[in-house]
Amino acid sequence: MRLLLVEDDRDMVSWLSLALKQSGFVTDLAPDARTAEALLAAGTRYDAIVLDLGLPDRHGFTVLSRLRDARDSTPVLLLTAQAALPDRVRGLNLGADDFLAKPFAIEELEARLTALIRRSHGHGHSRLECGSLAYDSENRGFSLGGQLMSVTPREHAALTALLMRAGSVVDKSQLSGKVFPQDSNVGPDAIELVLHRVRRKLAGSDVRVVTVRGLGYMLEKQAGAGDADA
Ligand code: CA
């Protein structure tokens, strides 16, 4: 079983990785959010992620919410500094699967990880669809009419946000925040450029991105297209 351990405390990391290895887990280490996100973006599949909330570059909640925004359903166990109730509630709302307050016994971590992984293997991976456009959480890829689509990370973020709410309007600034999460200085036209490229890639299919003036954007299946054989 393969784990991603996202933790900046070196003593904790060396203790945990040794103990987890002895228990048969293969563990990749990330000392910060940036490294964790790079490992995840590289497409490595993990059976579970152990995520510390207090990371040097970003809060663990940010890592978690980006993961879930990207429709990645890998089980996440959060490590919290103390058993703070607000953290637990927030973490659950963001899609965490379990918590462990520091300090903890390695046996407890192992027991919880094993339970999490067992539960998650009981579920299939999720698939989102709108017309002939589909997103598969297993390989994190989009396909159009069964053909894998080649998209940039920004196009991926835009399509994910639109597909999750297909048929409803996604607010322009919200969408912009998902596509340019690091950059508060992007102009209002930046998102238009990304959507222009997304539209070109969807051209000729039964799905399109429509602009709803003053509100935002909406992914929809075009009436008539592909309905005949539905
Ligand atoms: Ca920490």
PDB file of all heavy atoms in Angstrom, residues 145-181:
ATOM      1  N   GLY A 145     -15.983  12.300 -26.246  1.00  0.00           N
ATOM      2  CA  GLY A 145     -16.386  11.260 -27.186  1.00  0.00           C
ATOM      3  C   GLY A 145     -15.481  10.036 -27.106  1.00  0.00           C
ATOM      4  O   GLY A 145     -15.197   9.395 -28.095  1.00  0.00           O
ATOM      5  N   GLY A 146     -14.998   9.749 -25.892  1.00  0.00           N
ATOM      6  CA  GLY A 146     -14.158   8.569 -25.692  1.00  0.00           C
ATOM      7  C   GLY A 146     -12.680   8.801 -25.987  1.00  0.00           C
ATOM      8  O   GLY A 146     -11.855   7.942 -25.712  1.00  0.00           O
ATOM      9  N   GLN A 147     -12.338   9.974 -26.535  1.00  0.00           N
ATOM     10  CA  GLN A 147     -10.929  10.291 -26.835  1.00  0.00           C
ATOM     11  C   GLN A 147     -10.349  11.121 -25.700  1.00  0.00           C
ATOM     12  O   GLN A 147     -10.964  12.116 -25.304  1.00  0.00           O
ATOM     13  CB  GLN A 147     -10.836  11.116 -28.116  1.00  0.00           C
ATOM     14  CG  GLN A 147     -11.354  10.422 -29.361  1.00  0.00           C
ATOM     15  CD  GLN A 147     -10.381   9.365 -29.857  1.00  0.00           C
ATOM     16  OE1 GLN A 147      -9.175   9.589 -29.894  1.00  0.00           O
ATOM     17  NE2 GLN A 147     -10.893   8.198 -30.203  1.00  0.00           N
ATOM     18  N   LEU A 148      -9.196  10.711 -25.206  1.00  0.00           N
ATOM     19  CA  LEU A 148      -8.542  11.475 -24.147  1.00  0.00           C
ATOM     20  C   LEU A 148      -8.243  12.894 -24.639  1.00  0.00           C
ATOM     21  O   LEU A 148      -7.756  13.080 -25.753  1.00  0.00           O
ATOM     22  CB  LEU A 148      -7.251  10.770 -23.751  1.00  0.00           C
ATOM     23  CG  LEU A 148      -6.819  10.942 -22.302  1.00  0.00           C
ATOM     24  CD1 LEU A 148      -7.876  10.378 -21.349  1.00  0.00           C
ATOM     25  CD2 LEU A 148      -5.485  10.252 -22.066  1.00  0.00           C
ATOM     26  N   MET A 149      -8.562  13.879 -23.806  1.00  0.00           N
ATOM     27  CA  MET A 149      -8.298  15.275 -24.186  1.00  0.00           C
ATOM     28  C   MET A 149      -6.959  15.715 -23.630  1.00  0.00           C
ATOM     29  O   MET A 149      -6.615  15.362 -22.512  1.00  0.00           O
ATOM     30  CB  MET A 149      -9.358  16.198 -23.565  1.00  0.00           C
ATOM     31  CG  MET A 149     -10.670  16.243 -24.281  1.00  0.00           C
ATOM     32  SD  MET A 149     -11.807  17.295 -23.336  1.00  0.00           S
ATOM     33  CE  MET A 149     -11.373  18.926 -23.947  1.00  0.00           C
ATOM     34  N   SER A 150      -6.266  16.522 -24.410  1.00  0.00           N
ATOM     35  CA  SER A 150      -5.027  17.090 -23.893  1.00  0.00           C
ATOM     36  C   SER A 150      -5.341  18.501 -23.393  1.00  0.00           C
ATOM     37  O   SER A 150      -5.761  19.361 -24.165  1.00  0.00           O
ATOM     38  CB  SER A 150      -4.006  17.098 -25.022  1.00  0.00           C
ATOM     39  OG  SER A 150      -3.008  18.034 -24.758  1.00  0.00           O
ATOM     40  N   VAL A 151      -5.186  18.722 -22.093  1.00  0.00           N
ATOM     41  CA  VAL A 151      -5.496  20.039 -21.517  1.00  0.00           C
ATOM     42  C   VAL A 151      -4.336  20.522 -20.650  1.00  0.00           C
ATOM     43  O   VAL A 151      -3.627  19.722 -20.045  1.00  0.00           O
ATOM     44  CB  VAL A 151      -6.785  20.012 -20.654  1.00  0.00           C
ATOM     45  CG1 VAL A 151      -8.026  19.804 -21.500  1.00  0.00           C
ATOM     46  CG2 VAL A 151      -6.712  18.968 -19.554  1.00  0.00           C
ATOM     47  N   THR A 152      -4.167  21.825 -20.587  1.00  0.00           N
ATOM     48  CA  THR A 152      -3.153  22.407 -19.714  1.00  0.00           C
ATOM     49  C   THR A 152      -3.707  22.405 -18.286  1.00  0.00           C
ATOM     50  O   THR A 152      -4.912  22.238 -18.085  1.00  0.00           O
ATOM     51  CB  THR A 152      -2.870  23.860 -20.115  1.00  0.00           C
ATOM     52  OG1 THR A 152      -4.049  24.625 -19.864  1.00  0.00           O
ATOM     53  CG2 THR A 152      -2.485  23.974 -21.583  1.00  0.00           C
ATOM     54  N   PRO A 153      -2.848  22.616 -17.271  1.00  0.00           N
ATOM     55  CA  PRO A 153      -3.360  22.642 -15.890  1.00  0.00           C
ATOM     56  C   PRO A 153      -4.478  23.671 -15.693  1.00  0.00           C
ATOM     57  O   PRO A 153      -5.440  23.414 -14.974  1.00  0.00           O
ATOM     58  CB  PRO A 153      -2.120  22.987 -15.064  1.00  0.00           C
ATOM     59  CG  PRO A 153      -0.978  22.459 -15.878  1.00  0.00           C
ATOM     60  CD  PRO A 153      -1.382  22.657 -17.316  1.00  0.00           C
ATOM     61  N   ARG A 154      -4.374  24.830 -16.339  1.00  0.00           N
ATOM     62  CA  ARG A 154      -5.427  25.844 -16.179  1.00  0.00           C
ATOM     63  C   ARG A 154      -6.724  25.434 -16.858  1.00  0.00           C
ATOM     64  O   ARG A 154      -7.805  25.652 -16.326  1.00  0.00           O
ATOM     65  CB  ARG A 154      -4.948  27.186 -16.706  1.00  0.00           C
ATOM     66  CG  ARG A 154      -4.039  27.853 -15.703  1.00  0.00           C
ATOM     67  CD  ARG A 154      -3.482  29.140 -16.182  1.00  0.00           C
ATOM     68  NE  ARG A 154      -2.654  29.688 -15.121  1.00  0.00           N
ATOM     69  CZ  ARG A 154      -1.720  30.582 -15.305  1.00  0.00           C
ATOM     70  NH1 ARG A 154      -1.489  31.041 -16.527  1.00  0.00           N
ATOM     71  NH2 ARG A 154      -1.030  31.029 -14.294  1.00  0.00           N
ATOM     72  N   GLU A 155      -6.591  24.845 -18.031  1.00  0.00           N
ATOM     73  CA  GLU A 155      -7.785  24.346 -18.713  1.00  0.00           C
ATOM     74  C   GLU A 155      -8.422  23.224 -17.887  1.00  0.00           C
ATOM     75  O   GLU A 155      -9.642  23.119 -17.784  1.00  0.00           O
ATOM     76  CB  GLU A 155      -7.427  23.843 -20.119  1.00  0.00           C
ATOM     77  CG  GLU A 155      -6.997  24.961 -21.071  1.00  0.00           C
ATOM     78  CD  GLU A 155      -6.237  24.453 -22.285  1.00  0.00           C
ATOM     79  OE1 GLU A 155      -6.201  23.235 -22.534  1.00  0.00           O
ATOM     80  OE2 GLU A 155      -5.646  25.291 -22.987  1.00  0.00           O
ATOM     81  N   HIS A 156      -7.564  22.409 -17.281  1.00  0.00           N
ATOM     82  CA  HIS A 156      -8.034  21.315 -16.430  1.00  0.00           C
ATOM     83  C   HIS A 156      -8.837  21.873 -15.256  1.00  0.00           C
ATOM     84  O   HIS A 156      -9.935  21.400 -14.944  1.00  0.00           O
ATOM     85  CB  HIS A 156      -6.818  20.517 -15.936  1.00  0.00           C
ATOM     86  CG  HIS A 156      -7.159  19.202 -15.306  1.00  0.00           C
ATOM     87  ND1 HIS A 156      -7.689  19.104 -14.041  1.00  0.00           N
ATOM     88  CD2 HIS A 156      -7.055  17.926 -15.770  1.00  0.00           C
ATOM     89  CE1 HIS A 156      -7.884  17.816 -13.756  1.00  0.00           C
ATOM     90  NE2 HIS A 156      -7.513  17.091 -14.785  1.00  0.00           N
ATOM     91  N   ALA A 157      -8.292  22.901 -14.617  1.00  0.00           N
ATOM     92  CA  ALA A 157      -8.978  23.508 -13.464  1.00  0.00           C
ATOM     93  C   ALA A 157     -10.313  24.115 -13.882  1.00  0.00           C
ATOM     94  O   ALA A 157     -11.326  23.965 -13.186  1.00  0.00           O
ATOM     95  CB  ALA A 157      -8.081  24.565 -12.826  1.00  0.00           C
ATOM     96  N   ALA A 158     -10.327  24.794 -15.031  1.00  0.00           N
ATOM     97  CA  ALA A 158     -11.563  25.422 -15.499  1.00  0.00           C
ATOM     98  C   ALA A 158     -12.610  24.371 -15.842  1.00  0.00           C
ATOM     99  O   ALA A 158     -13.770  24.473 -15.422  1.00  0.00           O
ATOM    100  CB  ALA A 158     -11.270  26.296 -16.716  1.00  0.00           C
ATOM    101  N   LEU A 159     -12.182  23.336 -16.568  1.00  0.00           N
ATOM    102  CA  LEU A 159     -13.130  22.295 -16.964  1.00  0.00           C
ATOM    103  C   LEU A 159     -13.679  21.549 -15.751  1.00  0.00           C
ATOM    104  O   LEU A 159     -14.858  21.214 -15.701  1.00  0.00           O
ATOM    105  CB  LEU A 159     -12.435  21.292 -17.897  1.00  0.00           C
ATOM    106  CG  LEU A 159     -12.600  21.514 -19.393  1.00  0.00           C
ATOM    107  CD1 LEU A 159     -11.827  20.437 -20.156  1.00  0.00           C
ATOM    108  CD2 LEU A 159     -14.070  21.473 -19.811  1.00  0.00           C
ATOM    109  N   THR A 160     -12.808  21.299 -14.771  1.00  0.00           N
ATOM    110  CA  THR A 160     -13.255  20.592 -13.565  1.00  0.00           C
ATOM    111  C   THR A 160     -14.325  21.403 -12.854  1.00  0.00           C
ATOM    112  O   THR A 160     -15.383  20.885 -12.492  1.00  0.00           O
ATOM    113  CB  THR A 160     -12.060  20.346 -12.613  1.00  0.00           C
ATOM    114  OG1 THR A 160     -11.048  19.644 -13.326  1.00  0.00           O
ATOM    115  CG2 THR A 160     -12.476  19.523 -11.413  1.00  0.00           C
ATOM    116  N   ALA A 161     -14.055  22.708 -12.654  1.00  0.00           N
ATOM    117  CA  ALA A 161     -15.014  23.560 -11.944  1.00  0.00           C
ATOM    118  C   ALA A 161     -16.338  23.637 -12.710  1.00  0.00           C
ATOM    119  O   ALA A 161     -17.413  23.594 -12.110  1.00  0.00           O
ATOM    120  CB  ALA A 161     -14.424  24.949 -11.748  1.00  0.00           C
ATOM    121  N   LEU A 162     -16.265  23.725 -14.022  1.00  0.00           N
ATOM    122  CA  LEU A 162     -17.486  23.834 -14.828  1.00  0.00           C
ATOM    123  C   LEU A 162     -18.252  22.507 -14.867  1.00  0.00           C
ATOM    124  O   LEU A 162     -19.475  22.487 -14.764  1.00  0.00           O
ATOM    125  CB  LEU A 162     -17.144  24.275 -16.258  1.00  0.00           C
ATOM    126  CG  LEU A 162     -16.678  25.723 -16.399  1.00  0.00           C
ATOM    127  CD1 LEU A 162     -16.054  25.944 -17.772  1.00  0.00           C
ATOM    128  CD2 LEU A 162     -17.847  26.682 -16.182  1.00  0.00           C
ATOM    129  N   LEU A 163     -17.493  21.413 -14.982  1.00  0.00           N
ATOM    130  CA  LEU A 163     -18.146  20.111 -15.094  1.00  0.00           C
ATOM    131  C   LEU A 163     -18.814  19.706 -13.780  1.00  0.00           C
ATOM    132  O   LEU A 163     -19.866  19.079 -13.780  1.00  0.00           O
ATOM    133  CB  LEU A 163     -17.124  19.049 -15.534  1.00  0.00           C
ATOM    134  CG  LEU A 163     -17.661  17.649 -15.816  1.00  0.00           C
ATOM    135  CD1 LEU A 163     -18.775  17.675 -16.857  1.00  0.00           C
ATOM    136  CD2 LEU A 163     -16.548  16.719 -16.276  1.00  0.00           C
ATOM    137  N   MET A 164     -18.188  20.080 -12.656  1.00  0.00           N
ATOM    138  CA  MET A 164     -18.783  19.747 -11.355  1.00  0.00           C
ATOM    139  C   MET A 164     -20.148  20.395 -11.203  1.00  0.00           C
ATOM    140  O   MET A 164     -20.977  19.919 -10.450  1.00  0.00           O
ATOM    141  CB  MET A 164     -17.874  20.202 -10.212  1.00  0.00           C
ATOM    142  CG  MET A 164     -16.755  19.229  -9.948  1.00  0.00           C
ATOM    143  SD  MET A 164     -15.627  19.892  -8.709  1.00  0.00           S
ATOM    144  CE  MET A 164     -16.635  19.700  -7.238  1.00  0.00           C
ATOM    145  N   ARG A 165     -20.347  21.526 -11.881  1.00  0.00           N
ATOM    146  CA  ARG A 165     -21.632  22.212 -11.767  1.00  0.00           C
ATOM    147  C   ARG A 165     -22.280  22.374 -13.136  1.00  0.00           C
ATOM    148  O   ARG A 165     -22.905  23.397 -13.425  1.00  0.00           O
ATOM    149  CB  ARG A 165     -21.417  23.565 -11.097  1.00  0.00           C
ATOM    150  CG  ARG A 165     -20.877  23.389  -9.684  1.00  0.00           C
ATOM    151  CD  ARG A 165     -20.814  24.679  -8.958  1.00  0.00           C
ATOM    152  NE  ARG A 165     -22.093  25.371  -9.015  1.00  0.00           N
ATOM    153  CZ  ARG A 165     -22.228  26.672  -8.793  1.00  0.00           C
ATOM    154  NH1 ARG A 165     -21.174  27.401  -8.532  1.00  0.00           N
ATOM    155  NH2 ARG A 165     -23.413  27.227  -8.833  1.00  0.00           N
ATOM    156  N   ALA A 166     -22.104  21.339 -13.965  1.00  0.00           N
ATOM    157  CA  ALA A 166     -22.651  21.407 -15.329  1.00  0.00           C
ATOM    158  C   ALA A 166     -24.139  21.728 -15.278  1.00  0.00           C
ATOM    159  O   ALA A 166     -24.871  21.207 -14.442  1.00  0.00           O
ATOM    160  CB  ALA A 166     -22.418  20.086 -16.050  1.00  0.00           C
ATOM    161  N   GLY A 167     -24.561  22.628 -16.151  1.00  0.00           N
ATOM    162  CA  GLY A 167     -25.969  23.009 -16.171  1.00  0.00           C
ATOM    163  C   GLY A 167     -26.285  24.169 -15.246  1.00  0.00           C
ATOM    164  O   GLY A 167     -27.391  24.697 -15.273  1.00  0.00           O
ATOM    165  N   SER A 168     -25.330  24.567 -14.396  1.00  0.00           N
ATOM    166  CA  SER A 168     -25.538  25.752 -13.546  1.00  0.00           C
ATOM    167  C   SER A 168     -24.421  26.751 -13.827  1.00  0.00           C
ATOM    168  O   SER A 168     -23.342  26.388 -14.294  1.00  0.00           O
ATOM    169  CB  SER A 168     -25.485  25.424 -12.054  1.00  0.00           C
ATOM    170  OG  SER A 168     -25.866  24.132 -11.807  1.00  0.00           O
ATOM    171  N   VAL A 169     -24.712  27.985 -13.482  1.00  0.00           N
ATOM    172  CA  VAL A 169     -23.748  29.053 -13.741  1.00  0.00           C
ATOM    173  C   VAL A 169     -22.651  29.033 -12.674  1.00  0.00           C
ATOM    174  O   VAL A 169     -22.935  28.917 -11.485  1.00  0.00           O
ATOM    175  CB  VAL A 169     -24.449  30.427 -13.733  1.00  0.00           C
ATOM    176  CG1 VAL A 169     -23.434  31.538 -13.962  1.00  0.00           C
ATOM    177  CG2 VAL A 169     -25.519  30.473 -14.804  1.00  0.00           C
ATOM    178  N   VAL A 170     -21.414  29.102 -13.125  1.00  0.00           N
ATOM    179  CA  VAL A 170     -20.287  29.251 -12.201  1.00  0.00           C
ATOM    180  C   VAL A 170     -19.850  30.711 -12.269  1.00  0.00           C
ATOM    181  O   VAL A 170     -19.549  31.235 -13.337  1.00  0.00           O
ATOM    182  CB  VAL A 170     -19.116  28.317 -12.578  1.00  0.00           C
ATOM    183  CG1 VAL A 170     -17.955  28.497 -11.613  1.00  0.00           C
ATOM    184  CG2 VAL A 170     -19.572  26.866 -12.607  1.00  0.00           C
ATOM    185  N   ASP A 171     -19.855  31.344 -11.123  1.00  0.00           N
ATOM    186  CA  ASP A 171     -19.492  32.748 -11.008  1.00  0.00           C
ATOM    187  C   ASP A 171     -18.088  33.004 -11.578  1.00  0.00           C
ATOM    188  O   ASP A 171     -17.172  32.228 -11.357  1.00  0.00           O
ATOM    189  CB  ASP A 171     -19.535  33.097  -9.514  1.00  0.00           C
ATOM    190  CG  ASP A 171     -19.145  34.521  -9.253  1.00  0.00           C
ATOM    191  OD1 ASP A 171     -19.971  35.394  -9.532  1.00  0.00           O
ATOM    192  OD2 ASP A 171     -18.002  34.746  -8.790  1.00  0.00           O
ATOM    193  N   LYS A 172     -17.956  34.109 -12.313  1.00  0.00           N
ATOM    194  CA  LYS A 172     -16.691  34.410 -12.988  1.00  0.00           C
ATOM    195  C   LYS A 172     -15.512  34.516 -12.018  1.00  0.00           C
ATOM    196  O   LYS A 172     -14.446  33.955 -12.258  1.00  0.00           O
ATOM    197  CB  LYS A 172     -16.838  35.709 -13.782  1.00  0.00           C
ATOM    198  CG  LYS A 172     -15.610  36.046 -14.601  1.00  0.00           C
ATOM    199  CD  LYS A 172     -15.865  37.234 -15.504  1.00  0.00           C
ATOM    200  CE  LYS A 172     -14.610  37.585 -16.284  1.00  0.00           C
ATOM    201  NZ  LYS A 172     -14.829  38.673 -17.239  1.00  0.00           N
ATOM    202  N   SER A 173     -15.697  35.215 -10.900  1.00  0.00           N
ATOM    203  CA  SER A 173     -14.561  35.390  -9.988  1.00  0.00           C
ATOM    204  C   SER A 173     -14.230  34.082  -9.276  1.00  0.00           C
ATOM    205  O   SER A 173     -13.070  33.785  -8.988  1.00  0.00           O
ATOM    206  CB  SER A 173     -14.852  36.503  -8.972  1.00  0.00           C
ATOM    207  OG  SER A 173     -15.970  36.178  -8.211  1.00  0.00           O
ATOM    208  N   GLN A 174     -15.253  33.271  -9.013  1.00  0.00           N
ATOM    209  CA  GLN A 174     -15.018  31.958  -8.401  1.00  0.00           C
ATOM    210  C   GLN A 174     -14.195  31.078  -9.347  1.00  0.00           C
ATOM    211  O   GLN A 174     -13.238  30.425  -8.935  1.00  0.00           O
ATOM    212  CB  GLN A 174     -16.363  31.276  -8.187  1.00  0.00           C
ATOM    213  CG  GLN A 174     -16.674  30.962  -6.736  1.00  0.00           C
ATOM    214  CD  GLN A 174     -18.050  30.327  -6.625  1.00  0.00           C
ATOM    215  OE1 GLN A 174     -18.489  29.580  -7.494  1.00  0.00           O
ATOM    216  NE2 GLN A 174     -18.732  30.645  -5.554  1.00  0.00           N
ATOM    217  N   LEU A 175     -14.586  31.091 -10.601  1.00  0.00           N
ATOM    218  CA  LEU A 175     -13.890  30.287 -11.600  1.00  0.00           C
ATOM    219  C   LEU A 175     -12.453  30.778 -11.741  1.00  0.00           C
ATOM    220  O   LEU A 175     -11.511  29.989 -11.784  1.00  0.00           O
ATOM    221  CB  LEU A 175     -14.624  30.377 -12.936  1.00  0.00           C
ATOM    222  CG  LEU A 175     -14.136  29.432 -14.031  1.00  0.00           C
ATOM    223  CD1 LEU A 175     -14.318  27.979 -13.615  1.00  0.00           C
ATOM    224  CD2 LEU A 175     -14.868  29.686 -15.338  1.00  0.00           C
ATOM    225  N   SER A 176     -12.298  32.088 -11.770  1.00  0.00           N
ATOM    226  CA  SER A 176     -10.975  32.677 -11.875  1.00  0.00           C
ATOM    227  C   SER A 176     -10.105  32.245 -10.685  1.00  0.00           C
ATOM    228  O   SER A 176      -8.924  31.942 -10.838  1.00  0.00           O
ATOM    229  CB  SER A 176     -11.117  34.190 -11.930  1.00  0.00           C
ATOM    230  OG  SER A 176      -9.940  34.776 -12.371  1.00  0.00           O
ATOM    231  N   GLY A 177     -10.700  32.202  -9.496  1.00  0.00           N
ATOM    232  CA  GLY A 177      -9.975  31.778  -8.288  1.00  0.00           C
ATOM    233  C   GLY A 177      -9.510  30.336  -8.358  1.00  0.00           C
ATOM    234  O   GLY A 177      -8.479  29.969  -7.806  1.00  0.00           O
ATOM    235  N   LYS A 178     -10.287  29.478  -9.043  1.00  0.00           N
ATOM    236  CA  LYS A 178      -9.901  28.065  -9.174  1.00  0.00           C
ATOM    237  C   LYS A 178      -8.791  27.905 -10.218  1.00  0.00           C
ATOM    238  O   LYS A 178      -7.942  27.043 -10.094  1.00  0.00           O
ATOM    239  CB  LYS A 178     -11.089  27.218  -9.646  1.00  0.00           C
ATOM    240  CG  LYS A 178     -12.296  27.306  -8.754  1.00  0.00           C
ATOM    241  CD  LYS A 178     -12.413  26.090  -7.886  1.00  0.00           C
ATOM    242  CE  LYS A 178     -13.734  26.087  -7.151  1.00  0.00           C
ATOM    243  NZ  LYS A 178     -13.565  25.755  -5.742  1.00  0.00           N
ATOM    244  N   VAL A 179      -8.848  28.737 -11.248  1.00  0.00           N
ATOM    245  CA  VAL A 179      -7.902  28.589 -12.359  1.00  0.00           C
ATOM    246  C   VAL A 179      -6.573  29.274 -12.050  1.00  0.00           C
ATOM    247  O   VAL A 179      -5.513  28.814 -12.451  1.00  0.00           O
ATOM    248  CB  VAL A 179      -8.525  29.136 -13.664  1.00  0.00           C
ATOM    249  CG1 VAL A 179      -7.539  29.114 -14.810  1.00  0.00           C
ATOM    250  CG2 VAL A 179      -9.770  28.325 -14.036  1.00  0.00           C
ATOM    251  N   PHE A 180      -6.638  30.374 -11.306  1.00  0.00           N
ATOM    252  CA  PHE A 180      -5.422  31.120 -10.933  1.00  0.00           C
ATOM    253  C   PHE A 180      -5.343  31.231  -9.411  1.00  0.00           C
ATOM    254  O   PHE A 180      -5.419  32.339  -8.866  1.00  0.00           O
ATOM    255  CB  PHE A 180      -5.449  32.531 -11.540  1.00  0.00           C
ATOM    256  CG  PHE A 180      -5.625  32.547 -13.027  1.00  0.00           C
ATOM    257  CD1 PHE A 180      -6.862  32.792 -13.592  1.00  0.00           C
ATOM    258  CD2 PHE A 180      -4.550  32.314 -13.869  1.00  0.00           C
ATOM    259  CE1 PHE A 180      -7.029  32.806 -14.966  1.00  0.00           C
ATOM    260  CE2 PHE A 180      -4.716  32.324 -15.248  1.00  0.00           C
ATOM    261  CZ  PHE A 180      -5.954  32.571 -15.796  1.00  0.00           C
ATOM    262  N   PRO A 181      -5.203  30.104  -8.693  1.00  0.00           N
ATOM    263  CA  PRO A 181      -5.298  30.149  -7.235  1.00  0.00           C
ATOM    264  C   PRO A 181      -4.196  30.963  -6.556  1.00  0.00           C
ATOM    265  O   PRO A 181      -4.395  31.505  -5.493  1.00  0.00           O
ATOM    266  CB  PRO A 181      -5.247  28.677  -6.821  1.00  0.00           C
ATOM    267  CG  PRO A 181      -4.615  27.971  -7.965  1.00  0.00           C
ATOM    268  CD  PRO A 181      -4.947  28.767  -9.194  1.00  0.00           C
TER     269      PRO A 181
END
